[in-house]
Amino acid sequence: MAKARKSAANGNGKTPAKKAGGKPVIYVLNGPNLNMLGLRQPEIYGRATLADVEKLCQKAGDRLGLSIDFRQSNLEGELVTWIQQARTKAAGIVLNAGAYTHTSVALLDALNAAEKPCVEVHLSNIHRRENFRHHSYISLAAVGMIAGFGPKGYVLALEALADIV
C-alpha cells in the first residue's frame, strides 16, 4: 500500500528526483532571519541554532531514507529560484519561509509551478501570535502545515514527506 500511495501522492506524474544512492532528495528551505536562530527572540524560537536544525534534519533523513538538501536565504528571489530548481532536482520541499509566509505571492507561484509536495513549517505557533501572522500564502500550495513544535516540526515534516514521495 505504501508504494501505491507514494506514487499517487506525488501528484505530478513525474519520477521523484533521486541522488546517486537512490534516495529521494528533499529540499529543506529556510527564509529570512532563520540564520539568527538561537540568538533572535529565544523565548519564541528557542535556543537551537540553524546548524542544530540542519543536523536534526540530516539525522531524520538518514533514518527515513531521504537525502536532505538544507538551505537558508534572506532573499526572496533566491528562495524562488531554489523552489523552481526543486521541480527537477527534488522529490519534495520542507519550507519555513519565515516572514515571507505572510507576504509572498512569488513563493506561492513558485510552489505551484514546481508541482512538488511541500510541507510548511513554523517553529512557533503562528496562530497564537500577532494577527498578521495568521495568514499564510504558503498554505495555499502546501500539502500540510506544522507549527509550534520548534525544531521537531522539521522532523515531522520530513516524516510526512517520506510517506508521500
Side-chain angles (χ1 to χ4, degrees):
M1 181 173 145
K3 261 197 193 315
R5 183 172 164 206
K6 286 181 182 182
S7 346
N10 195 19
N12 61 14
K14 298 175 187 163
T15 305
K18 296 186 182 205
K19 269 198 167 175
K23 295 180 180 181
V25 176
I26 303 298
Y27 277 16
V28 179
L29 304 180
N30 296 278
N33 296 312
L34 288 161
N35 57 310
M36 300 298 291
L37 281 180
L39 301 173
R40 176 180 173 242
Q41 296 177 286
E43 68 281 1
I44 294 173
Y45 301 111
R47 300 218 177 269
T49 65
L50 194 60
D52 296 332
V53 174
E54 181 174 9
K55 286 177 194 165
L56 195 63
C57 289
Q58 295 296 348
K59 185 176 176 183
D62 289 345
R63 177 176 56 83
L64 296 165
L66 302 171
S67 177
I68 306 301
D69 188 333
F70 193 93
R71 306 175 186 195
Q72 187 277 329
S73 180
N74 291 321
L75 306 175
E76 183 179 30
E78 190 163 32
L79 291 165
V80 167
T81 297
W82 292 341
I83 292 167
Q84 291 171 349
Q85 289 172 357
R87 183 178 173 90
T88 58
K89 297 185 190 252
I93 301 167
V94 172
L95 177 59
N96 183 343
Y100 291 141
T101 299
H102 321 292
T103 63
S104 183
V105 174
L107 290 179
L108 169 62
D109 288 348
L111 287 167
N112 284 329
E115 298 180 325
K116 295 293 178 172
C118 173
V119 178
E120 178 180 359
V121 172
H122 298 283
L123 294 163
S124 67
N125 182 346
I126 62 174
H127 298 288
R128 292 189 70 185
R129 299 193 54 205
E130 305 92 338
N131 282 339
F132 72 86
R133 295 185 194 274
H134 298 179
H135 174 76
S136 167
Y137 283 100
I138 306 308
S139 290
L140 297 172
V143 296
M145 176 202 289
I146 299 168
F149 292 98
K152 181 165 175 85
Y154 285 81
V155 173
L156 296 171
L158 291 169
E159 289 172 350
L161 279 178
D163 285 343
I164 295 171
V165 300

